[in-house]
Amino acid sequence: APAKESMDQADRLSTPATRWRTLLVQAQAAESRDDYRQAETLYGDLIKLVPGEVLPKQALADIYKQTGRYQQAADLYGRVVSADPANADAVLGWADSLVALHETSTAITVLDAVNENALRYVDEQ
């Protein structure tokens, strides 16, 4: 309850320039409570507010994957990876989603495209 009050106060005090930060914290809090519907709504609002930001797209893709919406997850992970090809978590999430969609050869292609200098290259291979 105190954390919710603090988040509500931060939301009231936020300006258009800082609104994205309060949305991010609210979305992460909803996700930590397993309130995926609320988190999904908040991440969606965040994507509209800062469309070039990768973090909310990846977080939303993670929710899609976790809730079994693999096509939506794969589409969003693909957008994240095209913006940040070195994002190992997004690459792995994309590949997992593709495998769940029985698109194994595409998943292999995604993983093969990872640069061998990438931090999690071994994990991806």
Side-chain angles (χ1 to χ4, degrees):
K4 177 153 178 26
E5 287 176 28
S6 293
M7 285 195 299
D8 290 344
Q9 181 180 10
D11 192 37
R12 284 191 306 276
L13 297 174
S14 68
T15 65
T18 61
R19 174 84 176 117
W20 70 271
R21 290 183 180 104
T22 57
L23 279 175
L24 178 61
V25 171
Q26 289 170 342
Q28 291 170 331
E31 191 174 357
S32 73
R33 293 188 313 269
D34 295 333
D35 186 352
Y36 298 118
R37 198 161 107 214
Q38 179 67 18
E40 183 179 334
T41 298
L42 291 166
Y43 284 129
D45 291 346
L46 192 51
I47 290 168
K48 291 175 193 165
L49 191 61
V50 285
E53 249 334 287
V54 172
L55 182 96
K57 290 177 188 151
Q58 185 169 343
L60 185 55
D62 290 342
I63 289 174
Y64 288 154
K65 186 178 82 165
Q66 193 165 350
T67 58
R69 292 177 283 169
Y70 300 112
Q71 187 61 59
Q72 288 173 288
D75 293 344
L76 209 43
Y77 280 127
R79 288 173 49 197
V80 170
V81 171
S82 69
D84 181 8
N87 186 327
D89 290 328
V91 170
L92 292 170
W94 190 12
D96 287 345
S97 299
L98 290 167
V99 168
L101 292 167
H102 306 289
E103 296 181 26
T104 308
S105 61
T106 306
I108 291 168
T109 301
V110 165
L111 293 171
D112 282 343
V114 174
N115 185 306
E116 66 185 35
N117 294 322
L119 185 60
R120 293 187 57 197
Y121 175 76
V122 173
D123 294 337
E124 292 164 343
Q125 292 309 304

